[in-house]
Amino acid sequence: IAGLVTGHLVEAHRAGVRIAKATYATSAPGGADICVLSAYPKDNEFLQYSTAYTPLQSAPAPIVRPGGTVVVASAASEGQGFHSLFGPGMSKFSGGSAGPADHLDLVLFSPGVRRGDLEPDQRDRAPLFATWDDTVAWLAAKHGAEATVSVFPCAVTQLVGEVTDPS
């Protein structure tokens, strides 16, 4: 437990946000060729994979260079998963998950998911790999052996408070 807040709903929430930023925020180098985002601990079902985008969404500046690649790693031991609020006609349904910016490639590493489990927009947008070796081979073919990589092992709970100059 990082902290406990009480009181007026809005004021208590803001105090909790300040605690979370102080606890979970890290600095990250900008301009990486590759950014690996692990969906752990929300990786038992693939439906949760987009929660791994937290570092990208919270960073005050880009952490991946234009033309770079974002890899989302999700074990998806329960497969695609199910959540009724995300189904057609429900409040959270979007027809697909938002991904990284259009100037970035998305790669999915998920041993528990097959291409047919993905939404149509996901099938068209991102390569899906069941093994890490295959993922690395694809990345090496695109970026070469000297690629710079940022890794967020618990991306779901990691905030980027500062983007640093990698040089």
Side-chain angles (χ1 to χ4, degrees):
I1 298 176
L4 176 66
V5 296
T6 62
H8 184 273
L9 177 66
V10 173
E11 293 168 8
H13 179 264
R14 289 179 180 157
V17 168
R18 284 191 297 275
I19 292 168
K21 284 182 177 179
T23 303
Y24 297 112
T26 58
S27 62
D33 296 312
I34 302 166
C35 181
V36 179
L37 305 170
S38 172
Y40 179 83
K42 294 179 83 173
D43 67 338
N44 60 329
E45 58 185 28
F46 190 72
L47 182 67
Q48 301 277 350
Y49 86 93
S50 64
T51 60
Y53 295 144
T54 302
L56 297 177
Q57 295 166 335
S58 65
I63 55 178
V64 183
R65 68 165 177 78
T69 302
V70 173
V71 178
V72 176
S74 176
S77 53
E78 296 180 20
Q80 175 69 9
F82 171 79
H83 192 299
S84 60
L85 290 178
F86 290 94
M90 301 306 289
S91 63
K92 302 290 184 184
F93 180 70
S94 67
S97 296
D102 289 336
H103 65 276
L104 302 173
D105 286 334
L106 173 64
V107 171
L108 303 170
F109 164 56
S110 186
V113 173
R114 302 295 170 252
R115 183 146 302 280
D117 295 332
L118 302 177
E119 296 294 327
D121 70 315
Q122 295 166 330
R123 283 183 226 140
D124 295 340
R125 171 135 198 236
L128 170 66
F129 299 104
T131 70
W132 186 244
D133 287 344
D134 289 344
T135 307
V136 170
W138 188 95
L139 292 167
K142 179 181 178 192
H143 295 286
E146 301 299 318
T148 57
V149 183
S150 290
V151 179
F152 293 86
C154 296
V156 172
T157 60
Q158 291 182 262
L159 302 173
V160 175
E162 175 187 25
V163 177
T164 60
D165 184 349
S167 53

